[in-house]
Amino acid sequence: MKKITKKTYLNWYEEMLFWRKFEDKLAQVYIQQKVRGFLHLYNGQEAILAGSLHAMDLSKDKMITAYRNHVQPIGMGVDPKRVMAELFGKATGTSQGLGGSMHIFSKEKGFYGGHGIVGGQIPLGAGMAFGDKYNDTGAVTLCFFGDGAARQGSLHETFNMAMLWKLPVVFCVENNGYAMGTSVARTANHEDIWKLGLGYEMPCGPVDAMDPVAVAEAIDEAMERARRGDGPTFLELKTYRYRGHSMSDAQHYRTKDEVAEYQKIDPITQVKQILLDKKYATEEEIKEMDKNVKKRVAACEKFADESPFPDINVMYDVVYEQEDYPFISHKL
């Protein structure tokens, strides 16, 4: 694995803080109705992305996930201004404003969504890995999904084929405890989701996903296994979200005290403490990074605000039309 250095920790702190503040801003503008529809935020889960990016080769590796998908493309190199513009429904967005919050996408940067169907991305992630194996690209796909999606039947079909064909894919369940609002304890006879891999003899295990170092180490090992041709890995990334499942979630299923306990092991706070303890940065230097993050977020909001909405014709341009469709008469 690439060495974790002073530069790594400085980058982790500033980027995780940016992702957090970027989504805090989204929550704010959602209330102002600048962002419509559903909005699922990643607050608390940033160590997963930070650790994963450290292990990836961004020149060829791919990522696919569910609808909690705003900060991942930013981490992979997509302009955050375009991500925010997409959430605002603007023409300058990653999909010209037609995808919205749940469907951020960038083939150029290897980020393949953003999927609204629960668990829908699991077989797609394996399909992407099949393509890489077939074409011998040496790339690995990271396929993320939530604990709720781990109960989908498509997961089992995909695990079976991925092991049979030794596909270069790492399946990562981001277990934040509650799916939409039902605890893991109430959805299965066991709470160790990683054990689902045992039935397929797939290498599997739990990871402390509040710690970017632990994530980086686990993801790196899994990706190296895939690159060797030894097939997939299933990791249970144990994390926690501070906000509700979506902005419309009243969160009656948990207490504020529970959230506060998890905030004590916030990944951003942990990395900040390492910066101070190892004297990688002073309090003043950290304050300067904080200011820079605020400026970057403000620039994203300004860009999204000032961007135009897409022309109405764009909506029709992306709809499939077959001119000679045999069952519709145009002679009315």
Side-chain angles (χ1 to χ4, degrees):
M1 185 179 78
K2 288 178 288 187
K3 193 173 181 182
I4 296 174
T5 63
K6 171 184 175 180
K7 184 178 179 181
T8 309
Y9 281 109
L10 287 167
N11 180 66
W12 275 350
Y13 177 75
E14 188 159 358
E15 289 309 297
M16 286 197 294
L17 185 64
F18 176 70
W19 302 334
R20 177 76 58 84
K21 296 301 182 183
F22 183 93
E23 292 210 312
D24 285 346
K25 175 57 68 175
L26 290 178
Q28 179 186 328
V29 296
Y30 185 86
I31 294 169
Q32 298 169 1
Q33 295 191 331
K34 291 181 180 179
V35 174
R36 303 295 184 96
F38 292 103
L39 183 66
H40 307 83
L41 303 178
Y42 207 63
N43 295 41
Q45 301 183 207
E46 293 90 352
I48 294 174
L49 180 58
S52 297
L53 291 172
H54 187 77
M56 294 177 75
D57 180 347
L58 293 181
S59 70
K60 59 184 178 182
D61 293 333
K62 302 178 179 71
M63 185 183 292
I64 188 169
T65 189
Y67 38 76
R68 205 177 299 278
N69 72 137
H70 314 129
V71 298
Q72 293 92 335
I74 295 172
M76 292 188 72
V78 177
D79 186 344
K81 292 179 181 177
R82 293 192 65 211
V83 174
M84 189 165 284
E86 184 62 34
L87 282 143
F88 276 52
K90 297 299 185 71
T92 53
T94 50
S95 296
Q96 300 181 71
L98 300 178
S101 167
M102 299 169 75
H103 304 98
I104 311 297
F105 187 93
S106 175
K107 182 181 178 182
E108 178 192 1
K109 297 298 182 181
F111 183 73
Y112 289 82
H115 293 268
I117 296 174
V118 176
Q121 73 278 16
I122 300 174
L124 294 178
M128 288 157 55
F130 180 88
D132 283 320
K133 180 167 184 173
Y134 184 84
N135 293 305
D136 195 24
T137 66
V140 177
T141 295
L142 293 186
C143 180
F144 292 95
F145 50 94
D147 45 287
R151 310 309 180 193
Q152 292 284 3
S154 59
L155 175 140
H156 297 277
E157 297 176 23
T158 302
F159 277 18
N160 183 55
M161 287 191 290
M163 280 301 290
L164 182 65
W165 295 333
K166 294 293 184 285
L167 300 181
V169 57
V170 183
F171 298 108
C172 304
V173 57
E174 297 179 289
N175 181 5
N176 59 30
Y178 289 105
M180 282 185 70
T182 304
S183 71
V184 169
R186 294 179 60 200
T187 62
N189 190 46
H190 64 87
E191 295 184 45
D192 295 318
I193 300 176
W194 63 269
K195 290 181 179 178
L196 291 174
L198 297 174
Y200 304 92
E201 298 185 359
M202 185 186 296
C204 53
V207 180
D208 174 9
M210 300 301 276
D211 176 5
V213 176
V215 174
E217 290 173 346
I219 295 285
D220 180 75
E221 181 183 352
M223 295 190 86
E224 285 307 306
R225 180 182 296 119
R227 290 194 213 282
R228 290 194 305 267
D230 294 338
T233 301
F234 179 39
L235 299 175
E236 180 183 354
L237 305 175
K238 297 194 173 186
T239 185
Y240 197 81
R241 56 171 166 77
Y242 301 146
R243 292 183 180 270
H245 171 71
S246 69
M247 286 294 288
S248 60
D249 180 6
Q251 305 180 61
H252 294 311
Y253 47 84
R254 64 181 181 181
T255 65
K256 290 182 179 178
D257 289 341
E258 179 184 302
V259 177
E261 279 300 307
Y262 276 95
Q263 287 174 327
K264 292 177 182 177
I265 55 170
D266 187 301
I268 300 173
T269 305
Q270 287 191 59
V271 170
K272 179 181 178 181
Q273 196 58 51
I274 290 169
L275 290 177
L276 293 170
D277 291 346
K278 291 183 177 287
K279 294 183 168 52
Y280 287 162
T282 64
E283 285 282 7
E284 283 305 311
E285 288 170 330
I286 289 173
K287 285 179 182 176
E288 195 59 36
M289 282 192 280
D290 294 352
K291 286 181 185 176
N292 182 48
V293 162
K294 288 179 182 176
K295 287 179 183 176
R296 289 169 63 193
V297 172
C300 292
E301 183 185 16
K302 185 174 187 291
F303 177 81
D305 260 332
E306 294 177 354
S307 293
F309 285 104
D311 186 86
I312 193 167
N313 289 330
V314 172
M315 183 169 64
Y316 297 101
D317 290 343
V318 296
V319 177
Y320 177 74
E321 180 185 11
Q322 182 177 333
E323 293 287 349
D324 60 345
Y325 192 70
F327 304 114
I328 296 179
S329 173
H330 297 284
K331 299 174 181 178
L332 296 177

